Structure formats: structure tokens, C-alpha cells
Amino acid sequence: MTCKEAENLVMPYIRHELDVGQMEEFLEHIDQCDNCREELEIYYTVEVGIRQLDSDTDTDRYNIKGDMEADIIASRQEIYKARFITILHYAADTLMVMSLVVMLILQMRIWWQTGIF
Ligand SMILES: [Zn+2]
């Protein structure tokens, strides 16, 4: 992902509008690129700051950077969960195909034994 692409995803990321794949690529870039990470921090601070002004609650907790880190950790957990589910699907698919093959082999053996072939 280029910096330009990452920049375009900053606001959607903060607003939780990215799908897991986009999120994964975005966070990967943020990990490696200090400029974009800084960009994210600035936008996050502004966005969350405005939201806190609007809601008028939590005015005494200005730990926006901590909030951002927490958000990133939550995103990573979401990515891991999605990856785990994908692996489960693959495993289930593989098992299903394998049992179909075994069933077919057993069935052919029965046909062969009963002289159909
Ligand atoms: Zn970058």
C-alpha cells in the first residue's frame, strides 16, 4: 500500500468503515510508515476531540493516544478473528471433500464386491 492509499483510508479507518482486508493492509502500512502513523494520530485526535466536545461526556479523560492504541489493538483482534474463521472454513471444506472421496471409494468397493463392475 502506498502512502497516498493509506492517507485515503485514515478517515474511513477512524470511523470503522473499512473491511477486514483493507484494515489489515492499512495497519500494516501504519506499522512501517511513521508519516502515515502521525497522520492517523492527528486525524484521530481531531475526530475524537470533536466527538467528545459534542457528547460533552468524558471531558476529563484526554487520553486520545491511548484510545487510538486501544482501537488499533481491537482492529488487530478483529483481523485475527477473521483469519481464524477463514482457516476454519478451509479446514471444514477440506474435511468435507476428503470424506466425500472416502465415501466414494467405499461405495466403489461395495459395487466392485457385489460384481457391478
Ligand atoms: Zn505511509
Side-chain angles (χ1 to χ4, degrees), residues 3 6-7 11 13 21 25 36 42 44-45 53-54 60 65 74-77 83 88 100-101 104-106 110-111:
C3 288
E7 261 170 49
M11 284 318 288
Y13 174 74
E25 282 179 46
C36 289
I42 291 165
Y44 196 93
T45 306
L53 281 180
D54 277 349
D60 49 14
K65 193 150 188 243
S75 304
R76 286 196 206 287
Q77 280 169 345
R83 213 180 274 160
L88 271 186
L100 273 177
V101 168
L104 201 66
I105 290 171
L106 289 177
I110 291 168
W111 283 334

Side-chain angles (χ1 to χ4, degrees), residues 48-115:
V48 173
I50 288 170
R51 227 183 281 155
Q52 284 184 347
L53 281 180
D54 277 349
S55 65
D56 209 35
T57 51
D58 290 342
T59 37
D60 49 14
R61 59 179 264 280
Y62 276 124
N63 186 11
I64 289 173
K65 193 150 188 243
D67 284 354
M68 195 184 89
E69 298 298 331
D71 249 11
I72 290 177
I73 290 169
S75 304
R76 286 196 206 287
Q77 280 169 345
E78 215 174 299
I79 292 167
Y80 285 133
K81 214 164 71 187
R83 213 180 274 160
F84 182 67
I85 289 170
T86 308
I87 291 170
L88 271 186
H89 277 175
Y90 277 130
D93 281 354
T94 308
L95 270 177
M96 226 154 70
V97 170
M98 270 164 54
S99 37
L100 273 177
V101 168
V102 168
M103 251 158 54
L104 201 66
I105 290 171
L106 289 177
Q107 186 61 52
M108 279 168 61
R109 225 180 98 202
I110 291 168
W111 283 334
W112 183 70
Q113 280 170 345
T114 51

